Amino acid sequence: MQDILYTASRRAEPRAWLRSTVWLVAAGLHPEAGPSTLVVAKDLAARMDYRRGIAIYDRDGIVRRTGLSRATVTRHVRVLRELGALVWLVHGSRQNLAAPGEGYMATATIYGGVIPLVYDDAMGHRLTGMGYEARVCGVTPAGQELAVAAASARSDARHRGKGRTPRSRGTVRHGVPALREREPGPVDNSCSGGREPHSPGSYHRSPDVRVETGCKDTSRERASCQKAPRPSFKVSRNADGGRRTASQTKHGIAIIQQVRPRVSWTQGESLRALEVSLRPLTDAGWDAHMVAVELHSWMLTWRPTQPAAYIRARLAHQSTAEHAAAELDVAEGWDAQEAARALGASRPELVLDVLDGLAAGMAAHSARQAELGLDDLTDTDAAADMAAFLSGGVPV
């Protein structure tokens, strides 16, 4: 895996990373790895952050400093990624991120130097942790022997490189070492040519300083201009546009505290987020039981990743559907109040008509029962009682 989120390699500082890269290339683990791979790796190691082991890709800079072609640099950076020695921290993009009026600005690719597990296994390293955050916590006996041998080899190489002579060490006179006098001369900085200073670890681009032309002092008209103050906090608003008070928010959270334990798929969300998403219901006067019944009526067989966002979307969909139904009723000329007004009007004759119909129906039912030879279970004549009531008399 060539990304920081999925890599099995651990991060390292530049010197240890370069040693592991030399070993990986010498081991022949990749058919395309070779001397050019080490040239690119040395350029990256020279620009790596010593605290985190990261470096900006800077392909054009590598081409200019090493003399390799762009295609060669791109190919060997890919080889380093496939060896497990480089991972992406930031994927670069050519999309312009500059503000209007500024120059073109894209996103740089940032790599992190990592050491794969195959190198740690070969060196006998014991690791703690996993992936990019793993660390060396010890060595095996075989790894200890390899580390001692490598340290001895480096020490011998340093002593051979210094080339000391007995005269250069100085002599001791009366317990005081003699000091060699050296004539002042020009400082030789040829070994540091073409190098860049160590990165402090932050890659935030600072904007250029811009000096405005014109008068030095602020004009009287500009100084007297009134500007609207910008609030430093977000003001919550109700559906009618009014400012939401603290008591309203407290009341809504009190309801949500009773709703969340009753609805399992909302228990992963914070009370504040749920209170904001359920405001259309709590502001309408719904209590905790009504809100819980409404959420259960959705019959969810899965658990939303963001319950508050799902509730907002569901309530917005319901509101849109109700609004569309209301517009359809208006278009068809349906008026619910007008339809209910006919049933609620005071009409005594309507009651009498209903009773007449009931009396006729009961008389027909009794006649039908007599034809079938079925007698009533009671001695009361319901039809006669209904007729007496309609005529204003008293039932027998």
Side-chain angles (χ1 to χ4, degrees):
M1 296 295 183
Q2 303 173 7
D3 195 274
I4 184 176
L5 298 178
Y6 309 105
T7 182
S9 305
R10 61 179 177 88
R11 66 177 182 178
E13 52 92 12
R15 291 173 296 185
W17 177 77
L18 192 56
R19 288 197 299 269
S20 67
T21 304
V22 172
W23 184 90
L24 292 171
V25 174
L29 300 178
H30 198 288
E32 299 183 24
S36 298
T37 307
L38 294 179
V39 172
V40 175
K42 290 178 181 179
D43 185 90
L44 290 172
R47 297 183 288 109
M48 275 188 178
D49 175 19
Y50 272 81
R51 184 167 62 89
R52 293 179 291 176
I54 64 178
I56 297 179
Y57 181 16
D58 190 17
R59 179 178 58 184
D60 295 338
I62 297 176
V63 170
R64 184 175 61 256
R65 288 185 294 268
T66 61
L68 302 175
S69 65
R70 289 169 59 92
T72 301
V73 171
T74 302
R75 181 171 64 255
H76 288 285
V77 167
R78 174 181 57 82
V79 170
L80 290 173
R81 292 199 311 266
E82 293 176 353
L83 282 172
L86 279 183
V87 293
W88 272 298
L89 271 73
V90 176
H91 291 269
S93 173
R94 294 185 178 182
Q95 183 179 2
N96 186 12
L97 303 178
E102 297 183 357
Y104 174 80
M105 182 176 64
T107 304
T109 299
I110 300 178
Y111 283 115
V114 291
I115 297 178
L117 292 176
V118 61
Y119 176 81
D120 290 323
D121 293 340
M123 296 295 108
H125 294 162
R126 293 176 178 173
L127 304 181
T128 176
M130 297 179 62
Y132 185 74
E133 298 298 333
R135 290 292 180 269
V136 177
C137 62
V139 292
T140 61
Q144 186 176 4
E145 295 178 1
L146 291 175
V148 171
S152 300
R154 288 195 297 268
S155 178
D156 295 341
R158 283 196 298 268
H159 286 297
R160 287 194 301 268
K162 290 180 180 179
R164 290 184 177 179
T165 60
R167 186 178 179 181
S168 64
R169 298 175 183 175
T171 59
V172 179
R173 294 181 181 179
H174 303 289
V176 180
L179 300 177
R180 295 179 57 193
E181 295 182 358
R182 181 178 179 181
E183 296 181 357
V187 179
D188 184 11
N189 291 329
S190 60
C191 61
S192 62
R195 294 187 180 181
E196 298 180 358
H198 297 313
S199 171
S202 59
Y203 296 94
H204 303 289
R205 181 177 297 178
S206 301
D208 298 333
V209 178
R210 297 182 179 180
V211 180
E212 296 183 358
T213 59
C215 299
K216 178 174 70 68
D217 299 327
T218 305
S219 62
R220 185 180 300 275
E221 292 79 10
R222 184 177 178 183
S224 61
C225 180
Q226 298 293 335
K227 295 182 178 180
R230 295 182 178 179
S232 58
F233 55 91
K234 185 178 180 180
V235 179
S236 299
R237 300 288 181 180
N238 293 322
D240 56 357
R243 183 171 178 175
R244 192 171 186 83
T245 62
S247 60
Q248 290 177 319
T249 303
K250 183 178 180 180
H251 175 70
I253 291 179
I255 295 177
I256 302 306
Q257 285 178 339
Q258 304 176 45
V259 172
R260 191 171 65 173
R262 302 179 183 180
V263 184
S264 60
W265 56 267
T266 63
Q267 295 173 5
E269 192 65 88
S270 63
L271 291 174
R272 179 64 174 171
L274 290 175
E275 188 272 332
V276 174
S277 62
L278 289 171
R279 280 180 183 176
L281 304 182
T282 57
D283 290 348
W286 290 33
D287 57 6
H289 178 72
M290 297 171 63
V291 174
V293 170
E294 174 65 20
L295 297 181
H296 280 296
S297 66
W298 295 351
M299 302 295 291
L300 293 186
T301 58
W302 53 281
R303 184 181 294 270
T305 304
Q306 298 178 350
Y310 176 77
I311 292 173
R312 286 196 300 269
R314 188 69 177 260
L315 293 180
H317 179 73
Q318 291 180 358
S319 178
T320 303
E322 292 175 358
H323 182 69
E327 290 184 347
L328 182 62
D329 292 341
V330 173
E332 293 179 352
W334 171 262
D335 189 353
Q337 296 181 355
E338 185 66 23
R341 189 179 305 169
L343 297 177
S346 178
R347 294 178 56 188
E349 63 277 7
L350 178 63
V351 177
L352 297 178
D353 293 340
V354 172
L355 294 177
D356 286 336
L358 289 175
M362 295 179 68
H365 176 71
S366 299
R368 179 61 178 170
Q369 292 293 97
E371 293 178 358
L372 295 176
L374 300 177
D375 296 334
D376 293 336
L377 297 179
T378 62
D379 298 335
T380 304
D381 190 351
D385 293 343
M386 187 64 67
F389 174 79
L390 293 176
S391 62
V394 179
V396 179

